Amino acid sequence: MIDLLRRIGLWGRGVVVAIPYLWLLLFFLVPFLIVFGISLSEAMLAQPPYAPLIDWLLDEDAGTTKLQILLNLSNYLRLGGDDLYILAYLNSVKIALVTTVCCLLLGYPMAYAIARAEPSKRGPLMMLVILPFWTSFLIRIYAWIGILKANGVVDNLLQWTGLTTEPFELLYSDWAVYIGMTYCYLPFMVLPLYATLEKLDPTLLEAAADLGCRPWKAFLTVTLPLSLPGIIAGSLLVFIPSVGEFVTPELLGGPDTLMIGRVLWNEFFANRDWPVASAVAIALLLFLVVPIMVFQHVQGRQTEAGR
């Protein structure tokens, strides 16, 4: 047995390399193929609610069986011909982009301040960033409902300061969705930015200052370009899950907030149209994965060319 494992490379270092590939195979590729197969089937009143892709037909005259493969592409054609899906995709991208920009504008100063703090204070400051993750996600979202609703914390504060005399409610609006999603995904932006900024050589800024460069110009010409890998990593970590977000828009945005996550939920559980829901999921996955793979390919080629 050991000799067999060694011959196929599953021994020593090969086991370590095989573990992530096995993880991807079991928890990405297999579920992806299952969902992709359902997306090519036809909905029907049955359990499960879709027709099988592969079926054996009995030819009674010849006494033989024939393999029949039925591929239904109408689910994907429906995505391009129905305005509901197009608007849901576009609205999801818009909300994800706004969330990413808000997280970047808030997260970059936070990460920069933590990276430039004394080494003894960086750990506690990072702990403050991660601390909200120690509580339940739903509890944090419900806390925002109490803050943003009419007669909530924000409404009472505005009326107390005299900025408004009428009840002011942010809940069930796009602003509430932006606030909630920025709050939820902000640590995903801060962590990679901090990891990048903390490794920057401070002597580069000292050299720029010695050469007469002003602090803001040194930031734009030295710090910001060198922190681009952290900006890209943080933006991807925020943008990708934001596009398919369902819980936060559902609780804070109300029933009028149209995102692809809600469409997916309705197709699966309300309409029980699993083939269309699977087509929506596959299209969303391709929409996110293909540009990222192209970007990583181009970045890899640039890195190789720079060596």
Side-chain angles (χ1 to χ4, degrees):
M1 184 65 180
I2 295 177
D3 293 337
L4 176 62
L5 292 177
R6 283 179 174 169
R7 279 199 297 270
I8 62 177
L10 293 178
W11 191 257
R13 186 183 299 177
V15 174
V16 179
V17 176
I19 290 175
Y21 285 103
L22 182 62
W23 178 275
L24 287 175
L25 176 67
L26 292 178
F27 299 105
F28 176 75
L29 186 60
V30 173
F32 172 80
L33 292 177
I34 293 174
V35 174
F36 182 65
I38 296 175
S39 71
L40 296 175
S41 64
E42 186 177 355
M44 60 183 300
L45 295 175
Q47 188 63 30
Y50 56 88
L53 288 180
I54 302 175
D55 197 7
W56 291 94
L57 296 179
L58 176 61
D59 190 347
E60 297 180 353
D61 297 334
T64 59
T65 56
K66 296 181 180 177
L67 179 63
Q68 184 182 35
I69 301 177
L70 299 175
L71 299 180
N72 182 20
L73 298 177
S74 63
N75 299 319
Y76 289 96
L77 298 177
R78 182 176 168 183
L79 299 184
D82 195 327
D83 292 340
L84 172 68
Y85 302 107
I86 297 174
L87 289 175
Y89 278 117
L90 293 177
N91 202 43
S92 299
V93 171
K94 183 193 76 172
I95 292 177
L97 281 176
V98 173
T99 302
T100 304
V101 172
C102 291
C103 286
L104 180 60
L105 294 178
L106 292 174
Y108 198 101
M110 292 172 62
Y112 187 85
I114 296 173
R116 291 293 174 265
E118 296 178 8
S120 60
K121 296 180 180 177
R122 294 175 187 173
L125 290 173
M126 286 303 299
M127 182 66 69
L128 293 176
V129 175
I130 304 173
L131 200 58
F133 281 87
W134 292 10
T135 60
S136 169
F137 174 76
L138 284 178
I139 291 177
R140 284 181 279 143
I141 295 300
Y142 275 111
W144 276 107
I145 292 177
I147 294 173
L148 301 175
K149 69 178 182 179
N151 201 27
V153 176
V154 174
D155 185 23
N156 290 331
L157 181 63
L158 292 176
Q159 294 195 42
W160 179 72
T161 56
L163 294 176
T164 180
T165 57
E166 300 292 332
F168 182 77
E169 185 179 26
L170 275 173
L171 193 62
Y172 306 132
S173 67
D174 286 347
W175 289 106
V177 176
Y178 296 144
I179 292 172
M181 290 180 63
T182 301
Y183 165 77
C184 291
Y185 290 110
L186 184 60
F188 293 97
M189 180 66 77
V190 174
L191 292 176
L193 276 173
Y194 168 76
T196 303
L197 292 170
E198 196 268 341
K199 294 178 182 176
L200 290 184
D201 189 355
T203 58
L204 296 175
L205 296 177
E206 295 175 3
D210 291 342
L211 294 174
C213 187
R214 299 186 178 218
W216 64 269
K217 192 171 184 179
F219 173 79
L220 293 177
T221 56
V222 178
T223 304
L224 189 60
L226 292 177
S227 63
L228 274 180
I231 294 175
I232 295 172
S235 299
L236 291 177
L237 287 175
V238 173
F239 180 79
I240 292 174
S242 297
V243 173
E245 180 63 68
F246 170 73
V247 177
T248 305
E250 183 73 13
L251 295 178
L252 299 181
D256 294 331
T257 302
L258 181 63
M259 290 190 69
I260 200 63
R262 168 174 288 180
V263 174
L264 201 59
W265 171 277
N266 290 336
E267 295 293 352
F268 259 118
F269 299 103
N271 301 333
R272 288 187 62 78
D273 195 339
W274 288 22
V276 170
S278 300
V280 172
I282 294 296
L284 177 63
L285 183 65
L286 294 177
F287 174 76
L288 293 174
V289 169
V290 171
I292 293 172
M293 293 182 66
V294 172
F295 170 76
Q296 288 186 338
H297 177 69
V298 174
Q299 191 179 37
R301 293 184 62 179
Q302 290 178 346
T303 304
E304 291 293 331
R307 289 179 180 175

